[in-house]
């Protein structure tokens, strides 16, 4: 029986790590292409952006629906994981909240196109929406609580309501290039601020 230390043998763990990195690269490339060219963009465009062959994408994601769902999940996870690290690295909890909201808006711009593509599978779409809420509402709550505890915002803002409001402000971005939801989202965030005492 071969042992792990034989010459020429690649440890299983590094193979898995490489495969994981490759898949993350594909998903990031697909998300970027979906934002600029829509979810019906040619697979070859995604492959070119990722620096791989078309066959590599089909090996990981046999159908476009598989790719769309994987991109959606990848974007949710990136947004969920960013919140706590932003809270640690930002100058203040409110700065972390602002950075996270900016990332969330990026996700929503991608998500609107993905949502349209997934509407045909009602039960699958509902499951993804539940996953989205389960992963992101607690992150938003953590950021809001930290900013409220630091006295930077008024307490009592509900994370779901804030996320829903931001989502509503992002609607229409696809159909009107003159509309920039970030300006209104920034006004919304300013409205959360606690007035500075004189």
């Amino acid at each position: 029986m071969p042992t792990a230390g034989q010459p020429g043998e690649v440890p299983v763990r590094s193979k898995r790590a490489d495969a994981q990195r490759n898949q993350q690269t594909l998903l990031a490339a697909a998300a970027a292409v979906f934002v600029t060219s829509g979810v019906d963009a040619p697979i070859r465009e995604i492959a070119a952006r990722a620096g791989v062959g078309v066959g590599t994408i089909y090996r990981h994601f046999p159908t476009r629906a598989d790719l769309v769902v994987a991109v959606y999940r990848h974007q949710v996870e990136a947004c969920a994981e960013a919140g706590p690290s932003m809270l640690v690295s930002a100058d203040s909890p409110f700065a972390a909240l602002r950075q996270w909201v900016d990332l969330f808006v990026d996700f929503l711009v991608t998500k609107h196109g993905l949502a349209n593509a997934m509407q045909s599978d009602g039960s699958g779409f509902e499951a993804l929406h539940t996953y989205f809420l389960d992963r992101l509402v607690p992150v938003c709550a953590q950021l809001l609580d930290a900013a409220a505890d630091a006295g930077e915002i008024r307490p009592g803002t509900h994370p779901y309501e804030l996320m829903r409001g931001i989502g509503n402000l992002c609607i229409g971005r696809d159909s009107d290039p003159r509309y920039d939801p970030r300006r209104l989202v920034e006004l919304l965030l300013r409205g959360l601020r606690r007035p500075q005492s004189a």
Side-chain angles (χ1 to χ4, degrees):
M1 180 184 284
T3 61
Q6 289 183 339
E9 184 174 324
V10 177
V12 173
R13 188 165 300 185
S14 69
K15 278 186 186 176
R16 282 192 200 131
D18 286 346
Q20 184 69 18
R21 269 194 305 277
N22 291 344
Q23 190 163 344
Q24 297 302 313
T25 300
L26 288 177
L27 293 174
V33 169
F34 287 166
V35 168
T36 57
S37 304
V39 292
D40 294 324
I43 294 296
R44 69 180 174 280
E45 186 179 341
I46 296 167
R49 185 165 189 125
V52 300
V54 171
T56 300
I57 293 181
Y58 283 118
R59 212 170 21 260
H60 285 281
F61 309 105
T63 68
R64 184 176 296 271
D66 293 333
L67 179 60
V68 168
V69 168
V71 166
Y72 184 94
R73 285 182 167 273
H74 172 70
Q75 298 288 88
V76 168
E77 284 307 311
C79 207
E81 291 169 9
S85 56
M86 287 174 173
L87 202 49
V88 170
S89 65
D91 292 336
S92 71
F94 184 77
L97 175 65
R98 179 179 272 140
Q99 289 172 4
W100 186 80
V101 165
D102 198 45
L103 184 65
F104 182 59
V105 169
D106 286 343
F107 166 72
L108 290 176
V109 169
T110 307
K111 175 184 175 287
H112 285 153
L114 298 180
N116 292 338
M118 293 185 294
Q119 289 290 0
S120 58
D121 178 11
S123 62
F125 180 75
E126 282 302 313
L128 281 174
H129 184 67
T130 299
Y131 166 75
F132 161 82
L133 293 176
D134 289 348
R135 289 294 286 136
L136 297 185
V137 170
V139 175
C140 186
Q142 180 184 13
L143 291 160
L144 286 169
D145 288 346
D149 291 346
E152 296 179 300
I153 65 170
R154 297 175 182 91
T157 302
H158 297 284
Y160 175 77
E161 290 175 345
L162 177 62
M163 291 170 60
R164 182 80 186 252
I166 292 167
N168 287 340
L169 289 174
C170 289
I171 293 171
R173 165 66 176 80
D174 298 339
S175 59
D176 187 351
R178 299 167 302 167
Y179 176 62
D180 181 5
R182 290 183 195 283
R183 289 167 49 90
L184 291 177
V185 169
E186 178 59 28
L187 286 173
L188 177 62
L189 288 178
R190 282 188 207 163
L192 297 178
R193 295 301 299 260
R194 182 187 290 275
Q196 297 300 313
S197 52

